[in-house]
Amino acid sequence: MHFLIVGQGLAGTLLGYRLERAGHRVEYVDAPGQTAASSVAAGIINPITGRRFVKSWRIDELIPAARELYRELEALLDVSLWHELPLIRTLYNRGDENDWLARTADPGYADYMEEKPKVGRIPSLTEDVHAYAGVRHAARVDIGVLVTAYRERLQREGRLREETFDYQKLEAGSGDAAGARYYPAGQEVPITYDTVIFCEGWRARFNPWFGALPHGGNKGEVLLVKTEAPLLERMFKHRVFLVPFTEDTYWIGATSENQFSEENPTAVNRQFLEDRLREVLTVPYEIVEHRAAVRPTVRDRRPFLGRHPQLPALAIFNGLGTKGTSLAPLCSRWLADHLLTDAALPPEVDIRRWEQP
């Protein structure tokens, strides 16, 4: 089969790899110069989230699928991607501490939660806190490295068109009519594909076939900072995440805005992050970069997967939100199986959940 994927961020990369690995022909269109959420994200996999300390949705399935796929791509691309890092978070008061201890007594949570974690050098670099808690099976994935290395592979193989996808140049058959035809920039002869899959991130809200889905967008801004002190061996969360990023750099973030007027970094959010950083890191540091991107979100916080109900040659993989690093490997497996064998999608992610009765 012949597939065209629109968008080569995390979703498009992982889905395309699965389809390619299954023996199919996969090509990409990706607009140059557009900032994708995957280029800004730290790639954190955090099993326990929120103020109520709850397990992430399907995390027992997500982590093994993520570990397997990212390590497989490490070997294919000869890059380092998967980093298992303990996560240490602070508990602000006795109430938080009691809630954490109560969760650890739940058999479904015990494997992910530590009551007395090894905090290493964290106390010497940060302000005094009430108590520390540990999250097991946390990890960080170098998403930017993955997307860049895969892009270079596609470029070498001539399978990537770096241009803005033109919706008006796509023709898709309706009903049982198979296939879609697309006219690339500068070509008068179309290319026929069995399926065109849209992995456009938050810009999918402008897609004429899938734009009616309840797309959201959450803008996040982060800082990259350098310090002369040796980096921590753990990820640390205290108001913001402090994530070891490179040899001497931390990723600090992130802000969260559902209402925003621009995609670029703003002075207001930089100041917010700097203020939070001063509350956490007590050693000297230098801010070396300020980044921003928009995460593709969904009203019910579950991704969009599936074929268009009237135009089956068109499909979507989107809405990975703030947990895309952990969601994308398993969701890409579900969608690849659906596209190749018509396997049923889990109802929670199938776009048919939004069809009007």
Side-chain angles (χ1 to χ4, degrees):
M1 298 176 72
H2 193 187
F3 295 93
L4 177 65
I5 292 180
V6 181
Q8 196 251 318
L10 178 62
T13 296
L14 296 189
L15 177 61
Y17 171 66
R18 288 195 182 277
L19 295 172
E20 173 191 337
R21 187 182 62 179
H24 301 278
R25 184 180 175 189
V26 184
E27 297 172 4
Y28 286 82
V29 173
D30 192 73
Q34 289 186 349
T35 301
S38 54
S39 67
V40 175
I44 300 169
I45 294 179
N46 179 14
I48 305 294
T49 62
R51 296 178 180 177
R52 299 177 64 184
F53 312 131
V54 297
K55 288 169 62 175
S56 294
W57 175 72
R58 289 193 183 239
I59 197 64
D60 297 330
E61 302 169 75
L62 293 174
I63 288 180
R67 183 187 296 113
E68 177 184 10
L69 186 59
Y70 290 128
R71 284 181 168 170
E72 187 174 317
L73 284 162
E74 280 184 325
L76 174 73
L77 301 171
D78 193 26
V79 293
S80 177
L81 301 174
W82 178 265
H83 309 280
E84 296 200 9
L85 288 173
L87 171 62
I88 307 298
R89 62 174 298 161
T90 57
L91 303 175
Y92 294 107
N93 50 49
R94 177 65 65 180
D96 280 353
E97 190 173 11
N98 290 338
D99 290 345
W100 184 270
L101 292 175
R103 284 289 191 198
T104 61
D106 185 327
Y109 280 75
D111 191 42
Y112 294 101
M113 305 176 75
E114 289 184 271
E115 178 183 347
K116 296 181 179 180
K118 296 179 180 179
V119 298
R121 295 184 299 105
I122 288 175
S124 66
L125 299 182
T126 63
E127 66 173 13
D128 292 335
V129 298
H130 173 78
Y132 297 100
V135 180
R136 298 189 185 97
H137 307 302
R140 186 179 76 81
V141 181
D142 276 314
I143 299 301
V145 171
L146 166 62
V147 171
T148 298
Y150 207 82
R151 174 180 293 261
E152 292 171 352
R153 182 173 184 263
L154 295 173
Q155 289 170 331
R156 289 193 301 269
E157 297 174 356
R159 295 193 286 125
L160 173 66
R161 293 182 179 275
E162 297 182 83
E163 61 190 47
T164 300
F165 187 86
D166 189 340
Y167 298 123
Q168 295 183 352
K169 294 184 177 180
L170 177 65
E171 301 171 352
S174 61
D176 294 330
R181 301 196 305 167
Y182 181 65
Y183 294 78
Q187 288 191 199
E188 297 183 359
V189 178
I191 301 174
T192 299
Y193 298 94
D194 292 285
T195 306
V196 176
I197 309 152
F198 293 96
C199 305
E200 302 167 284
W202 79 278
R203 296 178 181 85
R205 64 177 67 185
F206 307 115
N207 186 296
W209 301 284
F210 295 101
L213 291 169
H215 295 279
N218 180 274
K219 182 183 177 183
E221 300 189 32
V222 304
L223 300 177
L224 297 183
V225 305
K226 288 188 176 182
T227 174
E228 294 182 1
L231 291 185
L232 300 171
E233 303 85 6
R234 296 158 174 79
M235 297 186 287
F236 180 52
K237 184 180 182 184
H238 179 59
R239 298 188 177 92
V240 290
F241 274 100
L242 198 73
V243 180
F245 206 56
T246 60
E247 291 182 358
D248 60 353
T249 305
Y250 285 108
W251 181 97
I252 310 296
T255 62
S256 177
E257 290 181 282
N258 291 321
Q259 302 295 326
F260 53 92
S261 58
E262 58 177 312
E263 297 179 52
N264 297 322
T266 62
V268 170
N269 281 322
R270 178 186 175 108
Q271 189 62 54
F272 173 85
L273 289 169
E274 287 190 51
D275 291 344
R276 301 293 82 73
L277 183 57
R278 291 191 191 99
E279 296 172 5
V280 177
L281 200 58
T282 59
V283 298
Y285 58 85
E286 173 192 2
I287 298 174
V288 295
E289 197 169 348
H290 178 199
R291 299 177 178 177
V294 181
R295 311 171 183 98
T297 57
V298 182
R299 187 189 307 164
D300 65 358
R301 301 186 180 184
R302 298 291 179 262
F304 292 136
L305 278 69
R307 292 185 184 272
H308 192 281
Q310 285 80 44
L311 303 171
L314 307 183
I316 188 169
F317 182 18
N318 211 303
L320 293 172
T322 59
K323 299 179 181 179
T325 306
S326 57
L327 288 170
L330 185 58
C331 287
S332 65
R333 180 200 298 169
W334 288 336
L335 185 54
D337 290 344
H338 179 67
L339 296 174
L340 297 177
T341 69
D342 204 29
L345 292 166
E348 305 101 306
V349 299
D350 193 328
I351 58 173
R352 291 184 298 176
R353 71 190 188 274
W354 297 106
E355 291 180 0
Q356 295 296 324

